[in-house]
Amino acid sequence: MATDNPALVDVGRARTPSGHGPLYRFFFVHEIDEYPGGGKRTAYLALAVLATIVLYYTYFTQTGVTPQILRYFHMSFSYYVAIVIVSNLLGAFASLPASRTDQLGRSNVIIYGLLIIGVLVAVGVPLCKTQLEFFIVISLLGVVEGAILVATPALVRDFSPQLGRASAMGFWTVGPVAGSLLTSVVATNSIDHFLRTYGLPGWKSQFIISGGISVLVFLVSLLFMKDLSKRLREQLMVSQQDRALVEARARGISEDEVVTATLHPWRQILKWDLVGSALGISVFLLLYYAASGFFTIFWATVYRNHTGLNLSTSQANYLNIWFWSADAVALIVFGVISDKLRVRKPLMLIGAVGSIVCLVLFARQTNHPFTGFGTLITLEVLLAICISLTYAPWMAGYTEMVEARNPALVGTGLALWGWILRLTVGLSFIFLPLVVTSVNPVVDNLAYAQTFPDGTAPFNVQQFQIEHPQLVTFATANASWLRPLSAPKNASVVAAAHYSPTAANLAALQKAVGPAVVTKVLANLKEVNGPVWTYRTQLAYLSVHQNQLTALLNGVGKSHSQWTNWFWVCVGGMVLFIPTIWLNRGRWSPKNARKDEQKHEADVAEELRQLVGANV
């Protein structure tokens, strides 16, 4: 162990905070002055990844119950999108002050961020009674999420040397993916139960579950999450063998030197290579943003079963699970491969080209609404794999670029990335509904066509339209005189005339609906006494909600071409990303990367020998 050398131990000891009692230290002091090895380091990394997963799970909970939220608050989809946009923009600017974690540490931001999020989600959201209250709570969630977005990857960086960085960052990037996956899995397996038990307010159960988990992870983090001391954080560690050197350097650094290293942080970090790289990955991930927020709508409006019915919400979530599962596994696998090969840029380039090819194939498939599940799953899994092949090495490479500028300012560098990323997300959510204009009418009116628990219709409207196309056409063409017959106030008179068409009953009918309507009835008596009467309840529902159902039908009809247009926008973002790969540091050749590693190890051994010799 590095501290077994007395010459190093004598240079400096673990510093005990002065001026604060044990209770304060328990709640707010989580620093360690010794770089952990083996199992401890793995445990600290695992806890940081767990916190990230729970953070995104709570943040994405709303996507699993969006239809129920819209119905409960009588909220338009445009208003809901506005909430998401504001939340992301607030998160973008919250990431900027989070750069202070370089000076103040990461752990407290994560620990108490989990607590705040847990309370807001488990208590705040279920107590909301109005659209505005929901708007405020979700916006606050965005602020906290923006801060933790900076702190968690910075903590992962602190506990991972560069030669294992892609593996560690691969696990970290699983956080957003696993959060989406967890949202889909929990909602798929529990939401129907809560809706049947508690009615429409049952959607709140999903927030109570995710918020409760956040509070539980807060308690675990309070007990076990640790933060490297400021002296250790500002050291560059390439391999695990650098551990002794890092500790030795840290113990030889004065407070003045620590302050000097972090003077003018934005002046040091706001450089064209870091800005360009962060912007590049942000536009590359345009498809990821669409998948996390809108893929359930995409699947359910573009694709159909062999019966002609659009995919159900549960079928859409099933396809989502495949996408997010493939993404999560691939992030870890390619992170390990990147570390084994000692390179980032070749994998990023291969992944970007593969993503473009897969997305083009995926976009072309939207013209085939009856595509089978096997084909859809194959395409989405390949697409998720290629995106992961790009993102895991990029995340590792970006932190290494920041370290090359100043190892003491990793939090500031990640704040820059988080700010650009959240701004891009917010802008994409502004423009996606402008390109896919069908999203608004589809989501706003979908409840009128679906049965419980996803909608309010007493029957499956689409299935009825498929099974009785001639009747629907007849009813639509003759809606003007059929509508008075279906009015509730005329129900008894119409029923009497149908079962007993006496002169008296026909006279009563004429008085109720007018002579013109009766004339139309007599001219179409076969249809009126046949299917119109048999399916009068269904036709009455279609008549009352004709405007909403027409808007829905038109939206669904336009969905596939509009989604194809947005996918081409995403392809453009991936193409723009490719030139930014050359902004990253590091070798293209694994052979040359290994030579650099060997040279670095020799330099470390020599510097450590000099440090030890100077302190003997």
Side-chain angles (χ1 to χ4, degrees):
M1 188 173 173
T3 51
D4 290 343
N5 191 321
L8 296 183
V9 175
D10 289 341
V11 175
R13 298 282 183 182
R15 291 169 286 110
T16 302
S18 59
H20 298 294
L23 190 62
Y24 178 92
R25 292 198 298 272
F26 172 77
F27 281 108
F28 300 109
V29 179
H30 306 282
E31 287 191 348
I32 54 175
D33 289 272
E34 177 181 287
Y35 194 90
K40 276 190 175 182
R41 186 176 72 91
T42 302
Y44 293 149
L45 283 171
L47 190 53
V49 172
L50 176 62
T52 306
I53 292 173
V54 171
L55 161 70
Y56 280 98
Y57 170 40
T58 55
Y59 192 67
F60 290 147
T61 298
Q62 59 188 325
T63 64
V65 287
T66 300
Q68 289 77 26
I69 291 173
L70 298 181
R71 286 167 51 203
Y72 182 84
F73 291 110
H74 304 288
M75 184 187 298
S76 70
F77 186 68
S78 298
Y79 190 91
Y80 175 79
V81 171
I83 294 175
V84 176
I85 292 170
V86 171
S87 178
N88 275 280
L89 293 179
L90 289 174
F93 288 96
S95 66
L96 297 179
S99 63
R100 294 288 296 169
T101 60
D102 285 327
Q103 289 79 38
L104 306 177
R106 337 282 194 197
S107 56
N108 282 329
V109 174
I110 300 171
I111 292 170
Y112 292 101
L114 286 167
L115 175 61
I116 294 170
I117 285 177
V119 173
L120 286 173
V121 171
V123 180
V125 172
L127 289 178
C128 290
K129 301 297 182 183
T130 66
Q131 296 181 14
L132 180 60
E133 291 173 355
F134 185 78
F135 196 129
I136 292 171
V137 173
I138 297 301
S139 297
L140 290 175
L141 281 177
V143 172
V144 182
E145 187 267 349
I148 302 183
L149 176 69
V150 173
T152 52
L155 190 62
V156 169
R157 171 267 172 188
D158 294 343
F159 286 116
S160 58
Q162 286 187 358
L163 294 183
R165 180 69 51 75
S167 301
M169 285 302 175
F171 278 101
W172 180 85
T173 51
V174 166
V177 176
S180 295
L181 177 61
L182 195 55
T183 298
S184 295
V185 170
V186 174
T188 300
N189 290 281
S190 65
I191 186 61
D192 285 354
H193 165 74
F194 287 108
L195 289 174
R196 291 191 188 97
T197 304
Y198 301 103
L200 184 57
W203 64 268
K204 299 179 180 181
S205 63
Q206 303 303 297
F207 286 87
I208 295 172
I209 292 170
S210 62
I213 292 175
S214 182
V215 172
L216 179 62
V217 175
F218 152 73
L219 294 173
V220 174
S221 300
L222 180 64
L223 294 173
F224 301 108
M225 184 170 281
K226 299 299 179 185
D227 207 358
L228 292 182
S229 68
K230 191 175 180 182
R231 287 178 170 83
L232 286 179
R233 282 199 306 272
E234 71 171 13
Q235 299 299 309
L236 172 62
M237 184 168 176
V238 174
S239 69
Q240 183 68 15
Q241 284 67 39
D242 294 3
R243 181 179 166 196
L245 179 59
V246 166
E247 293 182 5
R249 284 173 175 168
R251 288 175 176 132
I253 294 176
S254 68
E255 289 290 342
D256 290 340
E257 289 172 320
V258 170
V259 172
T260 301
T262 53
L263 278 177
H264 310 296
W266 287 106
R267 188 181 302 174
Q268 298 183 58
I269 292 299
L270 205 58
K271 303 297 182 181
W272 65 272
D273 56 339
L274 293 175
V275 173
S277 183
L279 184 60
I281 198 65
S282 296
V283 295
F284 174 84
L285 293 173
L286 284 174
L287 179 75
Y288 171 85
Y289 314 145
S292 63
F294 302 101
F295 252 25
T296 301
I297 300 169
F298 163 71
W299 297 121
T301 56
V302 172
Y303 293 104
R304 300 187 180 190
N305 292 294
H306 68 278
T307 60
L309 294 175
N310 282 86
L311 300 186
S312 66
T313 302
S314 61
Q315 288 175 314
N317 277 323
Y318 174 75
L319 291 172
N320 286 340
I321 289 172
W322 276 97
F323 182 84
W324 297 122
S325 298
D327 201 356
V329 173
L331 283 168
I332 297 171
V333 170
F334 290 129
V336 173
I337 291 175
S338 179
D339 286 336
K340 293 292 185 183
L341 295 176
R342 307 291 194 263
V343 292
R344 317 295 190 207
K345 292 187 287 190
L347 298 181
M348 292 159 61
L349 181 59
I350 295 170
V353 173
S355 296
I356 292 170
V357 173
C358 289
L359 183 51
V360 169
L361 295 175
F362 188 79
R364 290 168 61 92
Q365 205 61 38
T366 59
N367 294 319
H368 305 281
F370 290 95
T371 302
F373 270 41
T375 302
L376 294 178
I377 289 171
T378 300
L379 288 172
E380 66 171 330
V381 165
L382 289 175
L383 180 57
I385 287 173
C386 289
I387 291 174
S388 301
L389 177 56
T390 304
Y391 191 37
W394 179 89
M395 195 72 202
Y398 181 78
T399 59
E400 291 163 4
M401 290 171 65
V402 175
E403 288 176 335
R405 291 285 178 184
N406 189 336
L409 296 178
V410 170
T412 306
L414 289 170
L416 172 67
W417 160 70
W419 179 67
I420 293 175
L421 181 73
R422 285 293 168 229
L423 281 179
T424 307
V425 172
L427 290 173
S428 74
F429 282 168
I430 291 174
F431 287 102
L432 187 147
L434 297 179
V435 175
V436 189
T437 57
S438 60
V439 169
N440 285 331
V442 166
V443 175
D444 287 342
N445 298 299
L446 196 59
Y448 295 104
Q450 294 183 329
T451 56
F452 182 87
D454 297 317
T456 58
F459 60 98
N460 190 308
V461 172
Q462 187 180 28
Q463 184 173 356
F464 181 81
Q465 292 173 328
I466 292 173
E467 293 176 352
H468 307 280
Q470 293 179 337
L471 175 59
V472 172
T473 301
F474 175 83
T476 303
N478 298 279
S480 61
W481 60 268
L482 285 174
R483 191 171 292 113
L485 296 176
S486 62
K489 66 179 182 178
N490 298 326
S492 59
V493 176
V494 172
H498 172 76
Y499 289 114
S500 180
T502 63
N505 287 340
L506 290 176
L509 177 64
Q510 181 170 309
K511 182 180 179 181
V513 300
V517 172
V518 174
T519 300
K520 289 289 187 180
V521 169
L522 294 176
N524 298 275
L525 199 57
K526 181 180 178 181
E527 288 80 7
V528 172
N529 283 338
V532 171
W533 176 258
T534 303
Y535 297 106
R536 61 190 182 280
T537 302
Q538 290 86 341
L539 293 177
Y541 181 85
L542 295 180
S543 176
V544 171
H545 300 290
Q546 183 177 0
N547 292 337
Q548 294 92 337
L549 295 172
T550 300
L552 172 62
L553 188 62
N554 292 337
V556 171
K558 298 175 182 176
S559 285
H560 70 91
S561 61
Q562 293 180 351
W563 275 106
T564 301
N565 292 338
W566 183 252
F567 291 148
W568 281 112
V569 173
C570 297
V571 168
M574 292 176 175
V575 171
L576 290 175
F577 165 74
I578 290 178
T580 68
I581 294 174
W582 276 264
L583 296 176
N584 286 265
R585 297 173 60 85
R587 297 284 192 174
W588 285 91
S589 166
K591 180 179 179 181
N592 291 334
R594 289 190 179 91
K595 289 181 180 179
D596 291 343
E597 178 188 349
Q598 292 168 358
K599 182 179 182 302
H600 172 79
E601 289 177 351
D603 292 343
V604 166
E606 175 61 23
E607 187 171 355
L608 182 60
R609 185 187 64 77
Q610 293 177 4
L611 277 172
V612 172
N615 290 288
V616 170

